[in-house]
Amino acid sequence: MTSTLLIGASKIDVTIGSGELKVSQAELLHWVQSAAEAVATYYGRYPVPRVQLHIIPVDGSGVRHGQTFGYDGGLIKIRVGKQTEAAELANDWMLTHEMVHLSFPSMADEHHWIEEGIAVYVEPIARIQAKQMSAEQMWADLVRDMPKGLPQDGDRGLDHTHTWGRTYWGGALFCFVADVQIRKLTHNKKGCRMRCVGFSMPEATSRTIGS
């Protein structure tokens, strides 16, 4: 089943794979639209003119394992448990995270941390700006999770330490510090807008941008 959502001047072609889901098609499309509107609110517009989104039903519940690819103008694959409730979709962060990847080019493997770091850092801010979560929740999550990105014994820097914590939360910590420093230097007139909106991803790119 395929539907097309319009987000400003951009189109999202949503394909729902076979398999009976507890949530309705309308609830799935509302989830997609909410994530897209959060990203468009943060960047001022949706990052790409058109993207394909494949929702893949799987056993269990919850949103799982999203992947974003650069070919064909942009492709997102994300898995949704067949027993997922509408409330779980409303609280989901993963689809917004994947859509943020569309705003930034694919980097060499040693710089993968900046792709994931941007997506981790921007996702809650975008959702706050779209009034989908509270700032209090974001700060609580950052206080809890940012330490996962700190260097441990034997750390060789973000380019050479490819652990989960350093890649995702280390990258997010880099973005956070950069944002704070820019705001200090400009007396809060400017921030670090993590984007490369309008970037045309190479057609040949086929590797996963983020997950």
Side-chain angles (χ1 to χ4, degrees), residues 31 50 104 119 128-129 151 179 193:
W31 166 57
R50 191 159 201 155
F104 199 81
I128 288 169
Q129 291 179 350
D179 200 1
R193 183 68 59 159

Side-chain angles (χ1 to χ4, degrees), residues 5-79:
L5 294 176
L6 296 178
I7 305 296
S10 298
K11 295 181 179 180
I12 303 175
D13 296 323
V14 183
T15 300
I16 304 172
S18 59
E20 188 171 342
L21 288 157
K22 193 170 185 178
V23 291
S24 66
Q25 180 189 5
E27 288 168 328
L28 285 171
L29 293 178
H30 177 72
W31 166 57
V32 174
Q33 183 162 349
S34 295
E37 287 177 347
V39 174
T41 298
Y42 180 84
Y43 288 119
R45 62 184 175 88
Y46 198 73
V48 293
R50 191 159 201 155
V51 63
Q52 299 177 60
L53 172 61
H54 294 178
I55 298 173
I56 305 167
V58 294
D59 291 336
S61 65
V63 181
R64 313 174 190 175
H65 189 57
Q67 293 174 292
T68 301
F69 303 88
Y71 51 72
D72 294 333
L75 169 65
I76 297 174
K77 294 182 179 181
I78 196 160
R79 290 157 177 78

